[in-house]
Amino acid sequence: YMSLAWTLVVALSVPQQPDAALPLAGKRIAFTSPRVVAAPFSAELISAGARPVWWPLVEAVPLPESELGPLDDLIMRMPEYCAVALLSRHAADAFVERGARISDGDAELFAAMVAASGAQL
C-alpha cells in the first residue's frame, strides 16, 4: 500500500514546465483524498497545470456482514425518515450496494423502494 502511494507521490511531484495560461500553472497542491478518487482528481489538477502530491490519510473498508444490521434497519425503515444524509462517496456506495442486495440484486426495485419511502437522499 505505502510503496504504491509513494510511487504515485514521486511520479506526480516531478517538476514540469508550467504553462502560464493554465489556472493552476506550476502550483504544488497536496491532497488527501481516498485512493479511489486520487487518480481522477490528480488528472484534473494536472490538466489545470498543477503539480499534485497525494498523501493518503484514511482508508475506507467495508464493514463485515455481521455489523450491517443498522444499515439494513435503516434501509427497511426509510419511510420513517424525512431524509437520509450520506456524507461520503463510500457511504453512498455502501447504501446502494446493500440496498441492491436486500432487493435481491434488483437495482430498479431498490430505486422504487427509495422513491416510495419519500425520504430525501
Side-chain angles (χ1 to χ4, degrees):
Y1 174 72
M2 286 307 292
S3 65
L4 176 63
W6 283 113
T7 302
L8 182 60
V9 167
V10 170
L12 294 178
S13 14
V14 172
Q16 47 183 291
Q17 295 297 324
D19 179 349
L22 296 174
L24 299 176
K27 306 246 187 243
R28 287 185 76 202
I29 297 178
F31 66 101
T32 61
S33 68
R35 179 187 308 262
V36 69
V37 182
F41 186 61
S42 291
E44 288 181 38
L45 289 171
I46 290 168
S47 70
R51 295 173 26 209
V53 179
W54 177 54
W55 283 305
L57 298 178
V58 295
E59 180 180 10
V61 294
L63 289 173
E65 185 77 24
S66 62
E67 295 183 30
L68 292 174
L71 178 56
D72 293 346
D73 187 53
L74 166 68
I75 291 169
M76 298 307 291
R77 297 174 63 189
M78 274 192 302
E80 298 175 20
Y81 296 88
C82 64
V84 176
L86 303 168
L87 301 180
S88 73
R89 175 180 285 176
H90 297 291
D93 289 346
F95 179 78
V96 170
E97 288 171 17
R98 193 63 181 178
R101 179 176 279 171
I102 288 173
S103 306
D104 295 324
D106 187 338
E108 289 182 20
L109 175 60
F110 180 58
M113 287 172 58
V114 171
S117 76
Q120 297 294 311
L121 297 181

